[in-house]
Amino acid sequence: MDKKKVLIVDDQNGIRVLLVEVFSNEGYDTFQASNGKLALEIVRKESPDLVLLDMKIPGMDGLDILKHIKQIDTSIKVIMMTAYGELDMIKEATDLGALTHFTKPFDIDDLRQAVNAQLRPNSPRLAIGS
Protein backbone atom coordinates (compact mmCIF):
# COMPACT_ATOMS: atom_id res chain seq x y z
CA MET A 1 0.00 0.00 0.00
CA ASP A 2 1.31 3.45 -0.88
CA LYS A 3 2.25 5.74 1.95
CA LYS A 4 -0.09 8.69 2.37
CA LYS A 5 1.47 12.05 1.56
CA VAL A 6 1.22 15.14 3.76
CA LEU A 7 2.30 18.59 2.58
CA ILE A 8 3.07 21.19 5.26
CA VAL A 9 2.82 24.80 4.08
CA ASP A 10 4.00 27.41 6.59
CA ASP A 11 6.42 30.32 6.35
CA GLN A 12 7.78 29.52 9.85
CA ASN A 13 10.62 27.02 9.56
CA GLY A 14 10.23 25.80 13.15
CA ILE A 15 6.62 24.79 12.60
CA ARG A 16 7.48 23.00 9.34
CA VAL A 17 10.34 21.09 11.00
CA LEU A 18 8.13 20.07 13.93
CA LEU A 19 5.24 18.91 11.73
CA VAL A 20 7.51 17.05 9.31
CA GLU A 21 8.96 15.16 12.27
CA VAL A 22 5.54 14.38 13.77
CA PHE A 23 3.97 13.15 10.54
CA SER A 24 7.07 11.28 9.35
CA ASN A 25 6.95 9.42 12.66
CA GLU A 26 3.29 8.63 11.94
CA GLY A 27 4.43 6.89 8.76
CA TYR A 28 3.51 9.52 6.17
CA ASP A 29 5.63 10.80 3.30
CA THR A 30 6.05 14.48 4.18
CA PHE A 31 6.78 17.49 2.03
CA GLN A 32 7.19 21.10 3.08
CA ALA A 33 6.84 24.48 1.46
CA SER A 34 7.53 27.95 2.82
CA ASN A 35 5.46 29.76 0.19
CA GLY A 36 2.49 29.33 -2.12
CA LYS A 37 4.43 28.95 -5.36
CA LEU A 38 6.48 26.06 -3.98
CA ALA A 39 3.40 24.53 -2.35
CA LEU A 40 1.53 24.46 -5.66
CA GLU A 41 4.55 22.94 -7.46
CA ILE A 42 4.58 20.14 -4.87
CA VAL A 43 0.80 19.67 -5.19
CA ARG A 44 1.15 19.26 -8.96
CA LYS A 45 4.16 16.95 -8.73
CA GLU A 46 3.36 14.81 -5.69
CA SER A 47 -0.47 14.92 -5.37
CA PRO A 48 -0.49 14.94 -1.55
CA ASP A 49 -3.42 13.31 0.21
CA LEU A 50 -3.62 16.13 2.76
CA VAL A 51 -2.24 19.65 3.05
CA LEU A 52 -1.66 21.47 6.35
CA LEU A 53 -1.92 25.05 5.20
CA ASP A 54 -1.05 28.21 7.12
CA MET A 55 -3.52 31.03 6.56
CA LYS A 56 -0.86 33.76 6.43
CA ILE A 57 1.87 33.12 3.87
CA PRO A 58 3.92 35.98 2.36
CA GLY A 59 3.15 36.59 -1.30
CA MET A 60 0.04 34.42 -1.55
CA ASP A 61 -2.37 33.96 1.35
CA GLY A 62 -3.77 30.63 2.46
CA LEU A 63 -7.13 31.22 0.80
CA ASP A 64 -5.48 31.77 -2.59
CA ILE A 65 -3.36 28.66 -2.13
CA LEU A 66 -6.47 26.69 -1.08
CA LYS A 67 -8.34 27.83 -4.22
CA HIS A 68 -5.44 26.72 -6.43
CA ILE A 69 -5.11 23.35 -4.66
CA LYS A 70 -8.82 22.66 -5.20
CA GLN A 71 -8.51 23.68 -8.87
CA ILE A 72 -5.65 21.20 -9.29
CA ASP A 73 -7.36 18.32 -7.45
CA THR A 74 -10.63 18.59 -5.53
CA SER A 75 -9.91 15.35 -3.64
CA ILE A 76 -6.90 16.77 -1.77
CA LYS A 77 -7.85 17.30 1.87
CA VAL A 78 -6.86 20.61 3.44
CA ILE A 79 -6.60 21.57 7.10
CA MET A 80 -5.96 25.27 7.73
CA MET A 81 -3.65 26.61 10.44
CA THR A 82 -3.85 30.18 11.63
CA ALA A 83 -2.28 32.34 14.30
CA TYR A 84 -5.22 34.69 14.05
CA GLY A 85 -8.87 34.40 14.95
CA GLU A 86 -10.16 35.68 11.62
CA LEU A 87 -13.55 34.06 11.60
CA ASP A 88 -14.47 35.44 8.18
CA MET A 89 -11.33 33.93 6.60
CA ILE A 90 -11.92 30.64 8.40
CA LYS A 91 -15.51 30.56 7.15
CA GLU A 92 -14.36 31.33 3.62
CA ALA A 93 -11.73 28.59 3.84
CA THR A 94 -14.41 26.11 4.92
CA ASP A 95 -16.66 27.28 2.07
CA LEU A 96 -13.74 26.67 -0.32
CA GLY A 97 -13.34 23.11 0.90
CA ALA A 98 -11.05 23.17 3.95
CA LEU A 99 -12.00 20.42 6.39
CA THR A 100 -11.24 22.27 9.61
CA HIS A 101 -8.76 24.70 11.12
CA PHE A 102 -6.36 24.84 14.05
CA THR A 103 -5.42 28.07 15.80
CA LYS A 104 -1.75 28.48 16.71
CA PRO A 105 -0.39 27.56 19.11
CA PHE A 106 -2.22 24.30 18.52
CA ASP A 107 -2.04 21.06 20.47
CA ILE A 108 0.16 18.82 18.33
CA ASP A 109 -1.74 15.70 19.44
CA ASP A 110 -5.06 17.22 18.37
CA LEU A 111 -3.59 18.03 14.96
CA ARG A 112 -2.05 14.55 14.66
CA GLN A 113 -5.40 12.93 15.51
CA ALA A 114 -7.22 15.12 12.97
CA VAL A 115 -4.78 14.14 10.21
CA ASN A 116 -4.95 10.45 11.13
CA ALA A 117 -8.75 10.59 11.19
CA GLN A 118 -8.70 11.94 7.61
CA LEU A 119 -6.03 9.64 6.22
CA ARG A 120 -6.73 6.48 8.21
CA PRO A 121 -10.50 6.59 8.77
CA ASN A 122 -10.83 2.84 9.35
CA SER A 123 -7.71 2.24 11.39
CA PRO A 124 -8.21 0.87 14.89
CA ARG A 125 -7.43 3.41 17.56
CA LEU A 126 -4.69 2.35 19.92
CA ALA A 127 -5.88 2.08 23.46
CA ILE A 128 -4.04 4.18 26.01
CA GLY A 129 -1.33 2.15 27.66
CA SER A 130 -1.18 -0.51 24.95
Side-chain angles (χ1 to χ4, degrees), residues 63-81:
L63 292 175
D64 287 335
I65 298 168
L66 174 61
K67 288 175 194 170
H68 287 295
I69 289 170
K70 291 299 185 174
Q71 285 170 352
I72 294 165
D73 183 347
T74 56
S75 72
I76 295 174
K77 298 173 186 213
V78 179
I79 294 176
M80 303 301 292
M81 302 179 294

Side-chain angles (χ1 to χ4, degrees), residues 14-72:
I15 289 177
R16 289 196 316 273
V17 168
L18 170 69
L19 295 178
V20 163
E21 183 176 331
V22 166
F23 292 110
S24 293
N25 288 340
E26 287 291 310
Y28 299 114
D29 278 340
T30 55
F31 303 88
Q32 58 175 308
S34 58
N35 61 60
K37 184 174 183 291
L38 183 57
L40 296 174
E41 286 173 17
I42 294 169
V43 167
R44 286 188 191 98
K45 186 172 171 233
E46 299 293 341
S47 290
D49 298 284
L50 187 140
V51 178
L52 292 169
L53 178 57
D54 189 22
M55 195 78 85
K56 290 284 188 192
I57 302 273
M60 184 187 296
D61 74 19
L63 292 175
D64 287 335
I65 298 168
L66 174 61
K67 288 175 194 170
H68 287 295
I69 289 170
K70 291 299 185 174
Q71 285 170 352
I72 294 165

